[in-house]
Coordinates of all heavy atoms in Angstrom, one line a residue:
M106 N -9.9 15.4 -16.8 CA -9.2 16.1 -15.7 C -8.8 15.0 -14.6 O -9.6 14.1 -14.3 CB -10.1 17.1 -15.1 CG -9.5 17.9 -14.1 SD -10.5 19.3 -13.7 CE -9.9 19.7 -12.1
V107 N -7.7 15.1 -14.1 CA -7.1 14.1 -13.2 C -7.5 14.5 -11.8 O -7.1 15.6 -11.4 CB -5.6 13.9 -13.3 CG1 -5.0 13.0 -12.3 CG2 -5.2 13.4 -14.8
D108 N -8.1 13.7 -11.1 CA -8.6 14.0 -9.8 C -7.5 13.6 -8.7 O -6.5 12.9 -9.1 CB -9.9 13.2 -9.4 CG -10.6 13.7 -8.1 OD1 -10.3 14.7 -7.7 OD2 -11.3 12.8 -7.6
Y109 N -7.6 14.0 -7.5 CA -6.6 13.6 -6.5 C -6.5 12.1 -6.3 O -5.4 11.5 -6.3 CB -7.0 14.3 -5.1 CG -6.3 13.8 -3.9 CD1 -5.0 14.1 -3.7 CD2 -6.8 12.8 -3.0 CE1 -4.3 13.6 -2.6 CE2 -6.1 12.3 -1.9 CZ -4.8 12.7 -1.7 OH -4.1 12.2 -0.7
Y110 N -7.7 11.5 -6.3 CA -7.6 9.9 -6.1 C -7.1 9.2 -7.3 O -6.6 8.1 -7.3 CB -9.1 9.4 -5.6 CG -9.4 10.1 -4.3 CD1 -10.3 11.1 -4.2 CD2 -8.8 9.6 -3.1 CE1 -10.6 11.6 -2.9 CE2 -9.1 10.1 -1.9 CZ -9.9 11.2 -1.8 OH -10.1 11.8 -0.7
D111 N -7.2 9.9 -8.5 CA -6.6 9.3 -9.6 C -5.0 9.3 -9.5 O -4.3 8.3 -9.8 CB -7.0 10.0 -10.9 CG -8.4 9.9 -11.3 OD1 -9.1 8.9 -10.9 OD2 -9.0 10.9 -11.8
R112 N -4.6 10.4 -8.9 CA -3.1 10.4 -8.6 C -2.6 9.5 -7.6 O -1.6 8.9 -7.7 CB -2.7 11.9 -8.3 CG -2.8 12.8 -9.5 CD -2.2 14.2 -9.1 NE -2.8 14.8 -7.9 CZ -3.7 15.7 -7.9 NH1 -4.1 16.3 -9.0 NH2 -4.1 16.2 -6.8
V113 N -3.6 9.3 -6.6 CA -3.2 8.3 -5.6 C -3.1 6.9 -6.2 O -2.2 6.1 -5.9 CB -4.2 8.3 -4.4 CG1 -4.1 7.1 -3.5 CG2 -4.1 9.6 -3.7
L114 N -4.1 6.5 -7.0 CA -4.0 5.1 -7.6 C -2.9 5.0 -8.6 O -2.2 4.0 -8.6 CB -5.4 5.0 -8.5 CG -6.6 4.8 -7.7 CD1 -7.9 4.8 -8.6 CD2 -6.5 3.5 -6.8
A115 N -2.5 6.2 -9.3 CA -1.3 6.0 -10.1 C -0.1 6.0 -9.2 O 0.8 5.2 -9.6 CB -1.2 7.3 -10.9
G116 N 0.0 6.6 -8.1 CA 1.1 6.3 -7.2 C 1.2 5.0 -6.6 O 2.4 4.5 -6.5
I117 N 0.1 4.4 -6.4 CA 0.1 3.0 -5.8 C 0.6 2.1 -7.0 O 1.6 1.2 -6.7 CB -1.4 2.6 -5.4 CG1 -1.7 3.3 -4.2 CG2 -1.4 1.1 -5.2 CD1 -3.1 3.2 -3.7
A118 N 0.2 2.3 -8.1 CA 0.6 1.4 -9.2 C 2.1 1.6 -9.5 O 2.8 0.7 -9.8 CB -0.3 1.6 -10.5
A119 N 2.5 2.9 -9.6 CA 4.0 3.2 -9.7 C 4.9 2.6 -8.7 O 5.9 2.2 -9.1 CB 4.1 4.7 -9.9
S120 N 4.4 2.7 -7.5 CA 5.3 2.2 -6.4 C 5.4 0.6 -6.4 O 6.4 0.1 -6.3 CB 4.7 2.6 -5.0 OG 3.5 2.0 -4.8
L121 N 4.2 0.0 -6.9 CA 4.4 -1.4 -7.0 C 5.2 -1.8 -8.3 O 6.0 -2.8 -8.2 CB 3.0 -2.1 -7.2 CG 2.1 -2.0 -5.9 CD1 0.7 -2.6 -6.2 CD2 2.8 -2.9 -4.7
A122 N 5.1 -1.1 -9.3 CA 5.9 -1.3 -10.5 C 7.3 -1.0 -10.3 O 8.3 -1.7 -10.7 CB 5.3 -0.5 -11.7
G123 N 7.6 0.1 -9.4 CA 8.9 0.4 -9.1 C 9.6 -0.8 -8.2 O 10.8 -1.0 -8.4
G124 N 8.8 -1.3 -7.3 CA 9.3 -2.4 -6.6 C 9.6 -3.6 -7.3 O 10.6 -4.3 -7.1
L125 N 8.8 -3.8 -8.3 CA 9.0 -4.9 -9.3 C 10.3 -4.7 -10.1 O 11.2 -5.6 -10.2 CB 7.9 -5.1 -10.2 CG 7.9 -6.3 -11.3 CD1 7.9 -7.5 -10.5 CD2 6.9 -6.1 -12.3
V126 N 10.6 -3.5 -10.6 CA 11.7 -3.1 -11.3 C 13.0 -3.2 -10.4 O 14.0 -3.7 -10.8 CB 11.6 -1.7 -11.9 CG1 13.0 -1.2 -12.4 CG2 10.6 -1.7 -13.1
L127 N 12.8 -2.7 -9.1 CA 13.9 -2.9 -8.2 C 14.3 -4.4 -7.9 O 15.5 -4.6 -7.9 CB 13.4 -2.3 -6.8 CG 14.4 -2.2 -5.7 CD1 15.5 -1.2 -6.1 CD2 13.7 -1.8 -4.4
G128 N 13.3 -5.2 -7.9 CA 13.7 -6.7 -7.7 C 14.3 -7.2 -8.9 O 15.1 -8.1 -8.7
V129 N 13.9 -6.8 -10.0 CA 14.5 -7.3 -11.3 C 15.8 -6.8 -11.6 O 16.8 -7.5 -12.0 CB 13.5 -7.3 -12.5 CG1 14.2 -7.5 -13.9 CG2 12.2 -8.0 -12.3
A130 N 16.0 -5.5 -11.5 CA 17.2 -4.8 -11.9 C 18.3 -4.7 -10.9 O 19.4 -4.4 -11.3 CB 16.8 -3.3 -12.4
T131 N 18.1 -5.0 -9.7 CA 19.2 -5.0 -8.7 C 19.4 -6.4 -8.2 O 18.8 -7.3 -8.6 CB 18.7 -4.0 -7.5 OG1 17.7 -4.6 -6.9 CG2 18.5 -2.6 -8.1
S132 N 20.4 -6.4 -7.2 CA 20.7 -7.7 -6.5 C 19.6 -8.2 -5.6 O 19.8 -9.2 -5.0 CB 22.0 -7.6 -5.9 OG 22.1 -6.7 -4.9
L133 N 18.7 -7.4 -5.3 CA 17.5 -7.8 -4.4 C 16.8 -8.9 -5.0 O 16.6 -8.9 -6.3 CB 16.6 -6.6 -4.1 CG 17.1 -5.5 -3.2 CD1 16.1 -4.3 -3.2 CD2 17.5 -6.0 -1.9
Q134 N 16.2 -9.8 -4.3 CA 15.3 -10.7 -4.8 C 14.0 -10.1 -5.2 O 13.6 -9.0 -4.7 CB 15.0 -11.8 -3.8 CG 16.2 -12.6 -3.4 CD 16.0 -13.7 -2.3 OE1 14.9 -13.7 -1.7 NE2 16.9 -14.6 -2.2
L135 N 13.3 -10.7 -6.2 CA 12.1 -10.2 -6.6 C 11.0 -9.9 -5.6 O 10.4 -8.8 -5.6 CB 11.6 -11.1 -7.8 CG 10.2 -10.7 -8.5 CD1 10.4 -9.4 -9.2 CD2 9.7 -11.7 -9.4
H136 N 10.9 -11.0 -4.7 CA 9.8 -10.7 -3.7 C 10.2 -9.6 -2.7 O 9.2 -9.0 -2.1 CB 9.5 -12.0 -3.0 CG 10.6 -12.6 -2.2 ND1 11.5 -13.5 -2.8 CD2 11.0 -12.5 -1.0 CE1 12.5 -13.8 -2.0 NE2 12.1 -13.3 -0.8
T137 N 11.4 -9.3 -2.5 CA 11.8 -8.2 -1.7 C 11.5 -6.9 -2.3 O 11.1 -6.0 -1.6 CB 13.4 -8.4 -1.4 OG1 13.7 -9.7 -0.8 CG2 13.8 -7.3 -0.4
G138 N 11.7 -6.8 -3.7 CA 11.4 -5.6 -4.3 C 9.9 -5.3 -4.3 O 9.5 -4.1 -4.1
V139 N 9.2 -6.3 -4.5 CA 7.8 -6.1 -4.6 C 7.2 -5.8 -3.1 O 6.3 -5.0 -2.9 CB 7.0 -7.4 -5.0 CG1 5.5 -7.4 -4.9 CG2 7.4 -7.6 -6.5
F140 N 7.9 -6.3 -2.1 CA 7.5 -6.0 -0.7 C 7.8 -4.5 -0.4 O 7.0 -3.9 0.2 CB 8.2 -6.9 0.3 CG 7.9 -6.7 1.7 CD1 6.7 -6.9 2.1 CD2 8.8 -6.1 2.6 CE1 6.3 -6.7 3.5 CE2 8.5 -5.9 3.8 CZ 7.2 -6.1 4.3
V141 N 8.9 -4.0 -0.8 CA 9.3 -2.7 -0.7 C 8.3 -1.8 -1.5 O 7.8 -0.7 -0.9 CB 10.7 -2.4 -1.1 CG1 11.0 -0.9 -1.2 CG2 11.7 -3.1 -0.3
G142 N 8.0 -2.2 -2.6 CA 6.9 -1.4 -3.4 C 5.6 -1.3 -2.6 O 4.9 -0.4 -2.7
A143 N 5.2 -2.5 -2.0 CA 4.0 -2.6 -1.2 C 4.0 -1.6 0.0 O 3.0 -1.1 0.4 CB 3.7 -4.0 -0.9
L144 N 5.2 -1.5 0.7 CA 5.4 -0.7 1.8 C 5.1 0.8 1.3 O 4.5 1.6 2.0 CB 6.6 -0.9 2.4 CG 6.9 -2.1 3.2 CD1 8.4 -2.2 3.8 CD2 5.9 -2.2 4.3
V145 N 5.7 1.2 0.2 CA 5.4 2.5 -0.3 C 4.1 2.7 -0.7 O 3.5 3.8 -0.4 CB 6.4 2.9 -1.5 CG1 6.1 4.1 -2.1 CG2 7.9 2.6 -1.1
A146 N 3.4 1.7 -1.3 CA 2.0 1.8 -1.7 C 1.2 2.0 -0.4 O 0.1 2.8 -0.5 CB 1.6 0.6 -2.5
T147 N 1.5 1.4 0.7 CA 0.8 1.6 1.9 C 0.7 3.1 2.4 O -0.3 3.5 2.9 CB 1.4 0.7 3.0 OG1 1.4 -0.6 2.6 CG2 0.8 0.9 4.4
G148 N 1.8 3.8 2.1 CA 1.8 5.2 2.4 C 0.8 6.0 1.5 O 0.0 6.9 2.1
F149 N 0.5 5.6 0.3 CA -0.4 6.2 -0.5 C -1.9 5.8 0.1 O -2.8 6.6 0.1 CB -0.3 5.8 -2.0 CG 0.8 6.4 -2.7 CD1 1.9 5.8 -3.0 CD2 0.7 7.8 -3.0 CE1 3.0 6.3 -3.6 CE2 1.8 8.4 -3.6 CZ 2.9 7.6 -4.0
V150 N -2.0 4.6 0.5 CA -3.3 4.1 0.9 C -3.6 4.9 2.2 O -4.8 5.3 2.4 CB -3.3 2.6 1.2 CG1 -4.6 2.1 1.9 CG2 -3.2 1.8 -0.2
Y151 N -2.7 5.0 3.1 CA -2.9 5.7 4.4 C -3.3 7.2 4.0 O -4.2 7.8 4.7 CB -1.6 5.7 5.2 CG -1.7 6.7 6.3 CD1 -2.3 6.3 7.5 CD2 -1.0 7.9 6.3 CE1 -2.4 7.2 8.6 CE2 -1.1 8.8 7.4 CZ -1.8 8.5 8.5 OH -1.9 9.2 9.6
D152 N -2.6 7.8 3.1 CA -2.9 9.2 2.8 C -4.3 9.3 2.3 O -5.1 10.3 2.6 CB -1.9 9.8 1.8 CG -2.1 11.2 1.5 OD1 -2.0 12.1 2.4 OD2 -2.4 11.6 0.2
A153 N -4.7 8.4 1.4 CA -6.0 8.6 0.7 C -7.2 8.2 1.6 O -8.2 8.7 1.6 CB -6.0 7.7 -0.5
M154 N -6.9 7.4 2.7 CA -8.0 6.8 3.5 C -8.1 7.6 4.7 O -9.2 7.7 5.4 CB -7.8 5.4 3.8 CG -8.0 4.6 2.5 SD -8.1 2.8 2.8 CE -9.6 2.7 3.5
F155 N -7.0 8.1 5.4 CA -7.0 8.7 6.7 C -6.7 10.2 6.6 O -7.3 11.1 7.4 CB -6.0 8.0 7.7 CG -6.5 6.7 8.0 CD1 -5.8 5.5 7.4 CD2 -7.6 6.5 8.7 CE1 -6.3 4.3 7.8 CE2 -8.1 5.2 9.1 CZ -7.3 4.1 8.5
R156 N -5.9 10.7 5.8 CA -5.4 12.1 5.8 C -6.4 12.9 5.0 O -6.8 14.0 5.3 CB -4.0 12.3 5.3 CG -3.0 11.9 6.2 CD -1.6 12.1 5.9 NE -1.3 13.5 5.8 CZ -0.5 14.1 4.9 NH1 0.2 13.3 4.2 NH2 -0.4 15.4 4.9
N157 N -6.8 12.3 3.8 CA -7.8 13.0 2.9 C -8.9 12.0 2.5 O -9.0 11.6 1.4 CB -7.0 13.5 1.6 CG -6.0 14.5 2.1 OD1 -6.3 15.4 2.6 ND2 -4.8 14.2 1.5
P158 N -9.7 11.6 3.4 CA -10.7 10.6 3.2 C -11.8 11.2 2.2 O -12.2 12.3 2.4 CB -11.3 10.1 4.5 CG -11.0 11.3 5.3 CD -9.8 11.9 4.8
P159 N -12.3 10.3 1.3 CA -13.4 10.8 0.4 C -14.8 10.8 1.2 O -15.6 11.6 0.7 CB -13.4 9.8 -0.6 CG -12.9 8.6 -0.1 CD -11.8 9.0 0.9
L160 N -14.9 10.1 2.2 CA -16.2 10.1 3.0 C -15.8 10.3 4.5 O -14.7 10.3 4.9 CB -16.7 8.7 2.8 CG -17.1 8.2 1.4 CD1 -17.6 6.8 1.4 CD2 -18.2 9.2 0.8
P161 N -16.8 10.5 5.3 CA -16.6 10.7 6.7 C -15.8 9.4 7.3 O -16.0 8.3 6.9 CB -17.9 10.8 7.4 CG -18.8 11.2 6.3 CD -18.2 10.6 5.0
T162 N -14.9 9.7 8.3 CA -14.0 8.6 8.7 C -14.7 7.7 9.8 O -14.0 6.8 10.3 CB -12.8 9.3 9.4 OG1 -13.3 10.1 10.4 CG2 -12.0 10.0 8.3
A163 N -15.9 7.9 10.1 CA -16.5 7.2 11.2 C -17.1 5.8 10.6 O -17.7 5.0 11.4 CB -17.7 7.9 11.8
E164 N -16.9 5.4 9.4 CA -17.4 4.1 8.9 C -16.5 2.9 9.4 O -15.4 2.9 9.1 CB -17.5 4.2 7.4 CG -18.4 5.2 6.8 CD -18.5 5.2 5.3 OE1 -18.2 4.2 4.8 OE2 -18.8 6.2 4.9
P165 N -17.1 2.0 10.0 CA -16.3 0.8 10.5 C -15.8 0.0 9.4 O -14.8 -0.7 9.5 CB -17.2 0.1 11.4 CG -18.6 0.6 11.2 CD -18.4 2.0 10.5
E166 N -16.5 0.0 8.2 CA -16.0 -0.8 7.1 C -14.6 -0.4 6.6 O -13.8 -1.2 6.1 CB -17.1 -0.7 5.9 CG -18.4 -1.4 6.2 CD -19.4 -0.5 7.0 OE1 -19.0 0.7 7.0 OE2 -20.3 -1.0 7.4
R167 N -14.4 0.9 6.6 CA -13.2 1.5 6.2 C -12.0 1.1 7.1 O -10.9 0.7 6.6 CB -13.2 3.0 6.0 CG -11.9 3.6 5.5 CD -11.9 5.1 5.3 NE -12.9 5.5 4.4 CZ -13.9 6.4 4.6 NH1 -13.8 7.0 5.8 NH2 -14.7 6.7 3.7
V168 N -12.3 1.1 8.3 CA -11.3 0.7 9.3 C -11.0 -0.7 9.2 O -9.8 -1.2 9.2 CB -11.7 1.0 10.7 CG1 -10.8 0.5 11.8 CG2 -11.9 2.5 11.0
A169 N -12.0 -1.6 8.9 CA -11.9 -3.0 8.7 C -11.0 -3.3 7.5 O -10.1 -4.2 7.5 CB -13.2 -3.7 8.7
A170 N -11.2 -2.5 6.4 CA -10.5 -2.7 5.2 C -9.0 -2.4 5.3 O -8.1 -3.1 4.9 CB -11.1 -1.9 4.1
V171 N -8.7 -1.3 6.1 CA -7.3 -0.9 6.4 C -6.7 -2.0 7.2 O -5.5 -2.4 7.0 CB -7.3 0.4 7.0 CG1 -5.9 0.7 7.5 CG2 -7.8 1.4 6.0
L172 N -7.4 -2.5 8.3 CA -6.8 -3.6 9.1 C -6.4 -4.8 8.4 O -5.5 -5.4 8.6 CB -7.7 -3.8 10.3 CG -7.8 -2.6 11.3 CD1 -8.9 -2.9 12.4 CD2 -6.5 -2.4 12.0
V173 N -7.4 -5.3 7.5 CA -7.2 -6.4 6.6 C -6.1 -6.2 5.7 O -5.3 -7.1 5.6 CB -8.5 -6.8 5.9 CG1 -8.2 -7.8 4.8 CG2 -9.5 -7.2 6.9
W174 N -5.9 -5.1 5.1 CA -4.8 -4.7 4.3 C -3.5 -4.9 5.0 O -2.5 -5.6 4.4 CB -4.9 -3.3 3.7 CG -3.6 -2.8 3.0 CD1 -2.8 -2.0 3.6 CD2 -3.1 -3.1 1.7 NE1 -1.7 -1.7 2.7 CE2 -1.9 -2.4 1.6 CE3 -3.6 -3.9 0.7 CZ2 -1.2 -2.5 0.5 CZ3 -2.8 -3.9 -0.4 CH2 -1.6 -3.4 -0.5
H175 N -3.4 -4.3 6.2 CA -2.2 -4.4 6.9 C -1.9 -5.8 7.5 O -0.7 -6.3 7.5 CB -2.1 -3.4 8.0 CG -1.9 -2.0 7.5 ND1 -2.9 -1.2 7.2 CD2 -0.8 -1.3 7.2 CE1 -2.4 0.0 6.7 NE2 -1.2 -0.1 6.7
A176 N -2.9 -6.5 7.8 CA -2.8 -7.9 8.3 C -2.2 -8.8 7.1 O -1.3 -9.7 7.4 CB -4.1 -8.5 8.8
V177 N -2.8 -8.7 5.9 CA -2.3 -9.4 4.7 C -0.8 -9.1 4.5 O 0.0 -9.9 4.2 CB -3.2 -9.2 3.6 CG1 -2.5 -9.7 2.3 CG2 -4.6 -9.8 3.8
L178 N -0.5 -7.8 4.5 CA 0.8 -7.3 4.3 C 1.8 -7.9 5.3 O 2.9 -8.3 5.0 CB 0.9 -5.8 4.3 CG 2.2 -5.2 3.7 CD1 2.3 -5.5 2.3 CD2 2.1 -3.7 3.9
F179 N 1.5 -7.9 6.6 CA 2.2 -8.5 7.7 C 2.4 -10.0 7.5 O 3.5 -10.5 7.7 CB 1.5 -8.1 9.0 CG 2.4 -8.6 10.1 CD1 3.6 -8.0 10.5 CD2 1.9 -9.7 11.0 CE1 4.4 -8.3 11.6 CE2 2.7 -10.0 12.0 CZ 3.9 -9.4 12.3
A180 N 1.2 -10.7 7.2 CA 1.3 -12.1 6.9 C 2.3 -12.5 5.8 O 3.0 -13.4 5.8 CB -0.1 -12.7 6.7
L181 N 2.2 -11.6 4.6 CA 3.1 -11.8 3.6 C 4.6 -11.7 4.0 O 5.4 -12.5 3.6 CB 2.8 -10.9 2.5 CG 3.7 -10.8 1.2 CD1 3.5 -12.1 0.5 CD2 3.4 -9.7 0.4
A182 N 4.9 -10.6 4.8 CA 6.2 -10.4 5.2 C 6.6 -11.6 6.1 O 7.8 -12.0 6.0 CB 6.3 -9.1 6.1
L183 N 5.8 -12.1 7.0 CA 6.2 -13.2 7.8 C 6.4 -14.5 7.0 O 7.4 -15.2 7.2 CB 5.1 -13.5 8.8 CG 5.1 -12.6 10.0 CD1 3.9 -13.0 10.9 CD2 6.3 -12.6 10.8
A184 N 5.5 -14.7 6.0 CA 5.7 -15.9 5.1 C 7.0 -15.9 4.4 O 7.6 -16.9 4.1 CB 4.5 -16.0 4.1
V185 N 7.4 -14.6 3.9 CA 8.6 -14.5 3.1 C 9.9 -14.6 3.9 O 10.9 -15.3 3.5 CB 8.5 -13.3 2.3 CG1 9.8 -13.0 1.5 CG2 7.4 -13.4 1.2
Y186 N 9.8 -13.9 5.0 CA 11.3 -13.8 5.7 C 11.3 -14.7 6.9 O 12.5 -14.8 7.4 CB 11.3 -12.3 6.2 CG 11.4 -11.4 5.0 CD1 10.3 -10.5 4.6 CD2 12.5 -11.3 4.3 CE1 10.6 -9.6 3.5 CE2 12.7 -10.6 3.1 CZ 11.7 -9.7 2.8 OH 11.9 -8.9 1.7
V187 N 10.3 -15.3 7.4 CA 10.4 -16.2 8.5 C 10.3 -17.7 8.0 O 9.3 -18.0 7.5 CB 9.3 -15.9 9.7 CG1 9.5 -17.0 10.8 CG2 9.6 -14.5 10.0
E188 N 11.4 -18.5 8.1 CA 11.2 -19.7 7.6 C 11.4 -20.8 8.8 O 11.9 -20.7 9.8 CB 12.4 -20.0 6.6 CG 12.2 -19.2 5.4 CD 13.3 -19.4 4.4 OE1 13.8 -20.5 4.3 OE2 13.6 -18.5 3.8

């Protein structure tokens, strides 16, 4: 039986794969397509961690993990687009 969080993981994988396909099949560069896929995956992460969390939301480790995820995503965007 497929659980809610299994669907969230599948959505994350599908959005990253879709970004990869977008980068390969269109005139966008590969890293741009993967970045777009990562932005869509961030929506799934937000939904799973804040809108429907599996545990109480008061854990500071969860907040730290989300902040690190977004910091890495922002650093990746800066590294790719700012030269």
Side-chain angles (χ1 to χ4, degrees):
M106 185 166 154
V107 178
D108 191 24
Y109 169 76
Y110 295 103
D111 295 331
R112 290 191 302 260
V113 168
L114 288 175
I117 291 170
S120 64
L121 291 175
L125 182 66
V126 169
L127 183 69
V129 170
T131 64
S132 62
L133 290 175
Q134 293 181 348
L135 180 64
H136 63 272
T137 304
V139 172
F140 180 70
V141 169
L144 287 177
V145 174
T147 300
F149 287 106
V150 171
Y151 170 79
D152 182 61
M154 294 188 74
F155 292 108
R156 291 185 60 209
N157 299 308
L160 300 173
T162 58
E164 295 182 25
E166 293 87 8
R167 181 177 299 127
V168 174
V171 170
L172 290 176
V173 167
W174 164 260
H175 286 92
V177 168
L178 194 62
F179 184 70
L181 175 67
L183 285 179
V185 168
Y186 293 108
V187 177
E188 295 181 31

